[in-house]
Amino acid sequence: MTATDAHARPARELGVAVLGMGNVGAEVVRIITENAEDLRARIGAPLVIRGIAVRDTARDRGVPEELLTEDAAALVARDDVDIVIEVVGGIEPPRSLIRSALENGKSVVTANKALLADYTGELADAAAKAHVDLYFEAAVAGAIPVIRPLMQSLAGDTVQRVAGIVNGTTNFILSAMAQTGADYDSTLAEAGRLGYAEADPTADVEGYDAAAKAAILASIAFHSRVTMADVYREGISSITAEDLASAAKFDCTIKLLSICERITEADGSERISARVYPALIPLSHPLATVNGAYNAVVVEAENAGRLMFYGQGAGGAPTASAVMGDVVMAARNKVHSGRGPLESTYAELPVAPIAEVPTRYYVAMKVADRPGVLEGVAGEFAKHGVSIAAVRQEGDGEETRLIVITHRAPDGALAGTVQALEGMEAVTAVSSVLRMEGTDE
Ligand code: NDP
Ligand code: HSE
């Protein structure tokens, strides 16, 4: 046989099992079906869907009935399946299904950040042992390529910070509240209808989804194992229209940020900070213009400097695009009997508690409208060593609100200040305590 004959020999089919046919899975199936010829040319072998696992096979989904199955385990175990695409979500059954797939020599592509945030270690070990791929570009920031740039393009650099907006649902809600004054509940319902929100949207609005993504990003960026439990988390459910209006008066907006930082101590030792919270950012900050379900991730690396990744962070088709990028990579590796890069956790950097990471704060309180109140309030900040950067009074009479923006202060000092403010007779309530990011002070 000549080299030309070998090259011309048709490659064997690559069998694909799709687990889940919801927002993302339906788009994955559509792309594999509609783009079959191009995918075959790019991979060097045809991709053939062997089956699609769902909960309810009775529903018409526009695919041949015989492809649908409720027995995901049996589908994953088929000898003619080479690549498993997991777009079900949640911990079980995906964890067992993915493990079983990897242990049986199938490469896996998943969008499941909730699973990866806690189980990347065991799944990556199983993939390494079986010499197959475990890819998850779609797990962070939807369509935006950020996992592969961090894992491969920046593999020779030292990443200092990865920060951004990585949850589409909350960004959609906060943008709508800020821009049109839309109310929180109806905007959340709309995010669900558009396929952005998780099956349980609490994961979005309480910051769990963004925290899972922060754990994944921090692990890759800092070559260390970071899990959900390491990520400090606050959600957006207590953000009010008043907070957004007050932020605007300080030329700021409010975004749910995911921040992963390398902290270098005076003695040269290093730690990681991984945190998720709604924060005020100046309107001039690049993240302030990221609206709707769009996400953006800013990476700062020692030699590359600052890189910004921007695009659709949620939704069926954008997420399926990232899934399919991984599928093509895994399929090419199958064709060439290779595998992609392994995860790297050699640095083993510890994670700093939030109490040891100073930030700036925005504190809003309802106060009595009479002389001396501002002095008393400022006194409490001073007593706790928290320096004030700006103060603003809004409204009058019963509706008087005092907004204080601080310089950087440790979490503990701010917590002590808030407790003292809540004990003041002139302070009716401390209504909001938010952080402020994106400024040099
Ligand atoms: P959906 O809830 O829309 O779809 C889930 C699918 O999984 C459904 O088809 C459902 O079946 C099926 N399913 C659920 N349980 C089982 C089971 N036990 N066995 C077999 N099939 C099952 O989720 P999404 O498509 O929105 O999300 C899927 C994954 O992608 C999640 O991990 C999510 O976090 C992630 N992701 C989602 C994004 C988005 O914008 N939606 C963006 C990035 C990642 P049935 O149809 O019968 O109910
Ligand atoms: N629920 C997630 C979001 C989907 O809103 O960002 C994308 O990961």
Side-chain angles (χ1 to χ4, degrees):
M1 185 170 61
T2 66
T4 317
D5 291 337
H7 188 70
R9 189 178 58 204
R12 74 171 178 89
E13 290 179 344
L14 289 174
V16 176
V18 184
L19 312 184
M21 200 180 173
N23 295 308
V24 182
E27 293 297 321
V28 165
V29 170
R30 178 186 61 77
I31 295 171
I32 294 177
T33 311
E34 286 180 6
N35 296 355
E37 274 313 299
D38 282 328
L39 291 170
R40 185 193 52 72
R42 290 172 200 173
I43 292 165
L47 274 186
V48 179
I49 297 178
R50 304 292 188 208
I52 304 167
V54 290
R55 269 180 303 208
D56 174 13
T57 50
R59 250 176 57 205
D60 178 24
R61 299 172 194 257
V63 294
E65 227 174 85
E66 62 276 12
L67 283 183
L68 295 174
T69 175
E70 288 170 20
D71 192 349
L75 174 59
V76 162
R78 276 174 60 157
D79 288 340
D80 61 353
V81 165
D82 300 283
I83 298 169
V84 172
I85 303 172
E86 187 275 309
V87 279
V88 167
I91 306 301
E92 285 295 353
R95 180 183 172 194
S96 306
L97 292 168
I98 292 176
R99 269 199 73 128
S100 151
L102 294 169
E103 285 165 2
N104 286 291
K106 291 137 201 321
S107 288
V108 171
V109 173
T110 176
N112 192 335
K113 51 271 163 136
L115 177 68
L116 291 160
D118 280 338
Y119 297 101
T120 298
E122 77 170 44
L123 300 178
D125 285 350
K129 267 194 205 130
H131 201 73
V132 291
D133 289 316
L134 170 67
Y135 285 148
F136 46 87
E137 183 64 70
V140 178
I144 308 173
V146 63
I147 301 291
R148 193 159 282 116
L150 280 173
M151 211 178 239
Q152 298 186 25
S153 318
L154 291 165
D157 209 329
T158 303
V159 175
Q160 303 292 359
R161 197 168 198 262
V162 182
I165 296 166
V166 294
N167 182 271
T169 301
T170 47
N171 204 50
F172 182 76
I173 296 171
L174 291 174
S175 308
M177 285 171 73
Q179 288 168 353
T180 63
D183 77 277
Y184 177 93
D185 290 330
S186 66
T187 319
L188 173 57
E190 177 69 358
R193 273 193 297 278
L194 292 168
Y196 305 150
E198 294 302 304
D200 174 3
T202 313
D204 295 297
V205 295
E206 294 305 343
Y208 293 99
D209 178 79
K213 290 165 177 166
I216 296 168
L217 289 172
S219 299
I220 297 170
F222 306 127
H223 301 272
S224 299
R225 171 88 57 237
V226 179
T227 65
M228 268 298 257
D230 296 318
V231 182
Y232 176 79
R233 176 202 54 80
E234 288 172 26
I236 66 155
S237 57
S238 59
I239 304 292
T240 61
E242 271 182 336
D243 290 328
L244 283 154
S246 302
K249 289 180 188 146
F250 285 102
D251 291 325
C252 286
T253 190
I254 298 174
K255 297 287 184 188
L256 184 71
L257 299 183
S258 238
I259 301 170
C260 309
E261 270 173 344
R262 184 190 295 271
I263 302 171
T264 305
E265 311 292 355
D267 65 0
S269 64
E270 292 185 328
R271 292 192 294 172
I272 295 169
S273 165
R275 50 195 205 266
V276 168
Y277 42 63
L280 273 79
I281 52 171
L283 291 171
S284 56
H285 192 280
L287 292 177
T289 56
V290 176
N291 289 313
Y294 278 78
N295 284 187
V297 179
V298 179
V299 177
E300 290 170 37
E302 200 172 274
N303 300 296
R306 184 175 289 185
L307 306 165
M308 187 162 170
F309 301 82
Y310 170 82
Q312 295 189 72
T319 307
S321 164
V323 168
M324 287 309 300
D326 281 351
V327 170
V328 170
M329 291 297 156
R332 284 178 178 159
N333 290 340
K334 287 274 179 199
V335 167
H336 298 290
S337 303
R339 58 158 297 166
L342 296 167
E343 69 152 8
S344 147
T345 54
Y346 75 92
E348 293 179 355
L349 298 183
V351 178
I354 187 74
E356 294 173 22
V357 182
T359 54
R360 301 186 69 191
Y361 289 91
Y362 153 104
V363 182
M365 62 206 102
K366 294 192 171 134
V367 296
D369 189 11
R370 60 168 190 258
V373 171
L374 177 56
E375 191 185 351
V377 164
E380 288 304 338
F381 278 88
K383 261 189 239 165
H384 291 84
V386 180
S387 166
I388 292 177
V391 180
R392 176 181 193 97
Q393 181 172 328
E394 295 174 358
D396 50 25
E398 300 270 290
E399 299 302 315
T400 308
R401 266 163 56 96
L402 206 55
I403 318 285
V404 175
I405 299 228
T406 75
H407 290 291
R408 278 183 202 282
D411 191 77
L414 200 279
T417 311
V418 171
Q419 200 177 11
L421 293 172
E422 284 172 338
M424 284 179 68
E425 180 271 326
V427 176
T428 323
V430 176
S431 49
S432 291
V433 179
L434 297 170
R435 288 179 170 78
M436 187 168 192
E437 295 283 347
T439 62
D440 292 331
E441 293 166 72

